[in-house]
Amino acid sequence: MINNKKFNNSEIYFIFSILKRLSKKRKSQIIFNFLAILVSGFAEFISLGLVIPFLGIILDPNIIWNKDYIQKISGIFGYTSGDQLILPISIFFIFSIIFANGIRTFNIWFTLRLSAAIGSDISSQMYSKTLNQPLLMHLNRNSSSVIVLLTKNTSQSANAIKSFLQIISASIISLSIIFLLFIVNPSITLLIIILFGLSYLSLAFIIRKKLSYNSGLITSEAKKLVQLVQEGIGSIREILLRNNQILFVNKHNISDKKFRTKFAENTFLTSFSKFIMEPIGITLIASIAILMKSQNYASSEIIGLLGTFALGSQRLLPSLQELFRSWGSIKINRADLKAIYNFLNLPDFVDNYISNKPIIFEKNITLKSIRFRYNKETPMILKGLNLVIKKGEKIGIIGPTGSGKSTLIDILLGLIEPNEGEFLIDNINVLDKNNSHNIKDWRSIICHVPQDIYLSDSTIKENICFGETRENINIKDVISASKKAGIHSFINKLPNKYETFVGERGLRLSGGQKQRIGLARALYNKSQVVILDEATSSLDNETEKSVMNSIYKLGNEITIIMIAHRLTTLQNCDRIIKIKDGQIASFNQSDKDLNLQQ
């Protein structure tokens, strides 16, 4: 009886679960591949079956001609002697060999192309699944784990699926060859099955645990390597100042050596069997020849039988080796398959719904008794917070670190859901479970401008229209948004104007220019609510003042919510709200006078 729990944690279960997620087109291609493999197996059977007639007709045409059914079939084509059969049988034999090799080559090509397509599908699904996870998952998951998941785990899982398809191909071809050899001589074939079968099974039993252990270690070290690269690049200024490059290099060398050593070890463990099995096969053929000679078999029988088993072994051994290597590849990639399986089975929290009917925001944003904590082990961040923001207001938010400002912003953005409380836009419940589109409709009219604006290595125009295809960009709206953000005159002075490339993460722009592009992005999207999350904290006073003047000139059609450390940033706000210990606290004139980080 199959142990379901054990099977549900096996590599084959993971592979089938991943394959179930493929498109109908890809599944049809897998079926076609299977049928082509069956044709290849049949071709191998025919080509190998013709070895004895071919060698027999070459050595002594009469041996074949003396068979009654051969004479009857030959008579249909006008042949009257055995010598006349040499050419047609030789041509048919050569054609069968060419066809068998041709269909086998096609199968290899098609399997590799199919594996690549499946790998691409898995990669696309993984990327989509990543982007469709809620914000909390991204906050709790190490970025290096995500990178490894989308690169190494995805690539190696595709390799495992390729190996699975190759196992099917090698199995069918091996069975076809064995079946033909069994017809020729059951005793010798049975000996071959026992000898090779026990040898491969013994090797598999010996190395399987080592392969699985190495698989987990390789995945673990891959994550460490990515993390080390991220840490090294992210803290390059500190490393150069302290001159402690050797510390990071040593850590990298240790992980890299483990990663590559175990990878090399796994490659050897799945390949060395070839050098054991080939001498065994040659020894077996030589033993058969000596045995038949000692029993006074005719030379023609010995040559015919040896020719069949020699060619059979020459074709069987690579197939058996492919079986063993592919099995090893699947074992090697067990950790990758499990990681992909687990991630693909996470629920989607975001769908492809596109808001065509945004929420009409006319009066108030209302938060009632909002309570939130990130998980059961952490304390409450927001503790019954109440807040009403009127349309067109410019609200400033201050508070000490850890008071809940960023959490409040994420709730306002609709990126995290409070544990308790109500979130209303006018009279519409944004969190209504029966109208899940409400939260997406709300997101379509709100925009977030963080302290560190992400800019892709593309043109200014494309960065303002971030997420929009070039064909759909409305340049009039781009210019209008840029003018309101106070950056149009700067862009117009550039040689390529809006087609100017900004460099990786906006390397060629100043801090103030990047913030203005972020603001222009919000205005291009025609956002009714703009949240500035410490957006000017890294700017000097003059630049900050200039950017804030642009913001205050936007008019009452846009509601502005600003988090800032410097109170001078918020001095022209309609209201300043102070958050303390997860609740709205009173804001006194003495707070303004401090003009320090809150």
Side-chain angles (χ1 to χ4, degrees):
M1 187 175 179
I2 297 173
N3 187 330
N4 287 333
K5 188 175 180 180
K6 189 174 181 181
F7 176 73
N8 290 348
N9 195 39
S10 67
E11 298 86 357
I12 297 301
Y13 177 77
F14 297 147
I15 288 173
F16 273 107
S17 298
I18 294 170
L19 291 177
K20 281 181 182 178
R21 294 177 170 273
L22 299 177
S23 64
K24 287 183 179 180
K25 178 183 177 181
R26 210 64 72 212
K27 290 176 181 176
S28 298
Q29 289 174 333
I30 291 174
I31 293 171
F32 174 77
N33 189 38
F34 178 73
L35 294 175
I37 291 168
L38 288 178
V39 173
S40 181
F42 179 74
E44 291 287 348
F45 179 86
I46 295 298
S47 63
L48 195 57
L50 287 171
V51 173
I52 291 179
F54 171 70
L55 293 176
I57 200 76
I58 294 296
L59 293 171
D60 188 353
N62 291 324
I63 294 177
I64 301 295
W65 182 255
N66 289 335
K67 298 183 184 295
D68 291 338
Y69 69 91
I70 293 293
Q71 291 185 18
K72 288 179 181 179
I73 295 172
S74 300
I76 297 172
F77 297 98
Y79 297 122
T80 57
S81 68
D83 290 332
Q84 293 176 315
L85 295 178
I86 294 176
L87 183 60
I89 288 179
S90 298
I91 291 173
F92 191 53
F93 174 69
I94 293 169
F95 175 78
S96 68
I97 293 291
I98 293 172
F99 179 76
N101 279 280
I103 192 69
R104 198 167 184 177
T105 302
F106 170 80
N107 280 334
I108 292 171
W109 172 82
F110 188 80
T111 299
L112 292 175
R113 287 290 300 268
L114 177 58
S115 301
I118 291 172
S120 181
D121 290 349
I122 294 171
S123 179
S124 180
Q125 286 186 35
M126 289 292 293
Y127 189 57
S128 174
K129 178 72 74 171
T130 300
L131 296 182
N132 282 321
Q133 291 304 302
L135 178 64
L136 285 179
M137 191 220 76
H138 292 283
L139 294 176
N140 292 328
R141 184 185 285 268
N142 190 297
S143 62
S144 61
S145 298
V146 176
I147 293 171
V148 170
L149 195 63
L150 294 175
T151 53
K152 191 261 180 187
N153 291 152
T154 299
S155 176
Q156 293 304 108
S157 293
N159 283 337
I161 291 173
K162 178 187 72 177
S163 297
F164 176 71
L165 296 175
Q166 288 172 332
I167 282 178
I168 295 174
S169 177
S171 297
I172 290 174
I173 290 172
S174 297
L175 289 172
S176 300
I177 294 170
I178 289 171
F179 182 61
L180 187 280
L181 294 178
F182 195 83
I183 292 173
V184 173
N185 192 305
S187 301
I188 296 176
T189 305
L190 191 60
L191 179 61
I192 290 173
I193 293 171
I194 293 172
L195 190 62
F196 286 132
L198 286 177
S199 298
Y200 275 114
L201 285 174
S202 299
L203 288 173
F205 181 79
I206 292 168
I207 69 172
R208 62 189 178 89
K209 288 186 178 179
K210 187 65 175 175
L211 291 176
S212 295
Y213 171 77
N214 286 353
S215 171
L217 193 62
I218 288 168
T219 298
S220 174
E221 295 304 324
K223 289 178 183 178
K224 287 182 184 177
L225 286 169
V226 173
Q227 188 173 347
L228 283 167
V229 170
Q230 287 181 308
E231 290 175 355
I233 294 173
S235 58
I236 189 64
R237 286 185 175 86
E238 188 71 16
I239 291 171
L240 292 173
L241 284 171
R242 293 182 176 273
N243 197 32
N244 59 355
Q245 294 92 331
I246 192 66
L247 176 65
F248 284 83
V249 171
N250 286 341
K251 285 182 179 180
H252 181 275
N253 287 348
I254 291 169
S255 285
D256 191 69
K257 187 175 181 180
K258 286 182 182 178
F259 175 85
R260 297 184 188 281
T261 301
K262 294 303 177 183
F263 194 87
E265 188 175 307
N266 278 354
T267 302
F268 171 75
L269 289 173
T270 55
S271 303
F272 81 103
S273 58
K274 174 183 178 181
F275 305 106
I276 296 175
M277 297 304 169
E278 283 183 351
I280 292 175
I282 293 170
T283 302
L284 182 63
I285 295 297
S287 300
I288 293 170
I290 293 170
L291 182 64
M292 292 182 72
K293 189 66 177 177
S294 67
Q295 294 181 359
N296 298 318
Y297 276 81
S299 296
S300 58
E301 289 183 277
I302 294 175
I303 292 173
L305 196 62
L306 284 180
T308 302
F309 275 93
L311 184 59
S313 298
Q314 186 261 335
R315 289 183 172 274
L316 181 61
L317 274 175
S319 294
L320 292 177
Q321 178 59 28
E322 183 63 38
L323 267 172
F324 185 77
R325 190 203 61 77
S326 298
W327 167 84
S329 176
I330 291 173
K331 294 297 289 184
I332 287 170
N333 297 314
R334 171 184 167 75
D336 302 286
L337 285 167
K338 188 173 183 178
I340 296 297
Y341 166 79
N342 289 336
F343 193 75
L344 285 177
N345 278 281
L346 290 174
D348 281 328
F349 289 89
V350 182
D351 56 35
N352 294 322
Y353 170 85
I354 298 174
S355 177
N356 293 317
K357 201 175 180 182
I359 284 179
I360 299 174
F361 173 37
E362 295 180 332
K363 296 179 181 178
N364 301 314
I365 301 169
T366 305
L367 299 177
K368 291 183 180 179
S369 304
I370 297 294
R371 294 173 63 83
F372 178 81
R373 62 180 175 184
Y374 286 94
N375 55 59
K376 293 179 181 180
E377 287 72 38
T378 59
M380 282 288 177
I381 305 297
L382 299 180
K383 307 169 185 177
L385 182 143
N386 294 286
L387 178 63
V388 177
I389 300 172
K390 295 178 182 178
K391 181 179 175 64
E393 272 194 304
K394 293 177 175 50
I395 302 295
I397 297 177
I398 62 170
T401 301
S403 61
K405 301 189 300 298
S406 296
T407 302
L408 171 62
I409 292 304
D410 285 335
I411 289 175
L412 283 170
L413 288 167
L415 296 178
I416 59 176
E417 188 175 324
N419 303 120
E420 298 175 28
E422 293 183 76
F423 179 10
L424 305 174
I425 306 301
D426 296 337
N427 294 318
I428 299 173
N429 182 4
V430 175
L431 304 176
D432 186 357
K433 298 292 185 184
N434 296 321
N435 293 287
S436 59
H437 60 85
N438 283 354
I439 192 72
K440 302 176 186 73
D441 292 337
W442 167 243
R443 288 175 188 156
S444 70
I445 66 168
I446 192 168
C447 190
H448 180 232
V449 183
Q451 177 183 349
D452 185 16
I453 300 290
Y454 178 81
L455 298 179
S456 61
D457 189 9
S458 54
T459 64
I460 290 175
K461 178 178 70 176
E462 289 171 299
N463 272 288
I464 291 174
C465 309
F466 188 70
E468 193 86 77
T469 59
R470 287 184 65 91
E471 297 77 21
N472 293 330
I473 291 176
N474 186 322
I475 191 61
K476 289 183 179 179
D477 288 346
V478 171
I479 293 172
S480 175
S482 300
K483 286 179 178 178
K484 290 178 182 178
I487 197 172
H488 174 68
S489 58
F490 163 76
I491 296 172
N492 244 9
K493 292 175 184 176
L494 298 172
N496 296 319
K497 297 183 171 50
Y498 283 90
E499 296 296 334
T500 301
F501 276 77
V502 301
E504 186 178 2
R505 301 188 69 84
L507 186 67
R508 296 168 192 156
L509 300 175
S510 68
Q513 290 158 358
K514 286 194 281 189
Q515 293 307 127
R516 288 180 187 276
I517 287 179
L519 184 58
R521 183 184 291 173
L523 299 174
Y524 176 82
N525 291 321
K526 295 181 171 59
S527 302
Q528 297 179 39
V529 181
V530 176
I531 294 180
L532 302 168
D533 190 356
E534 299 183 22
T536 61
S537 62
S538 62
L539 305 180
D540 62 78
N541 291 334
E542 285 301 315
T543 305
E544 180 188 42
K545 186 176 179 180
S546 176
V547 171
M548 292 307 300
N549 285 338
S550 299
I551 292 169
Y552 287 125
K553 289 177 182 177
L554 292 176
N556 293 329
E557 289 302 310
I558 298 176
T559 304
I560 306 289
I561 302 168
M562 289 181 276
I563 290 181
H565 280 153
R566 293 194 293 256
L567 290 174
T568 51
T569 306
L570 309 175
Q571 59 188 356
N572 292 323
C573 286
D574 298 318
R575 283 189 293 153
I576 297 177
I577 295 165
K578 183 177 181 179
I579 298 180
K580 187 176 181 181
D581 296 328
Q583 294 181 317
I584 303 296
S586 59
F587 178 72
N588 302 315
Q589 184 63 36
S590 59
D591 291 318
K592 282 188 179 180
D593 294 339
L594 287 174
N595 198 25
L596 298 170
Q597 287 190 355
Q598 297 294 309

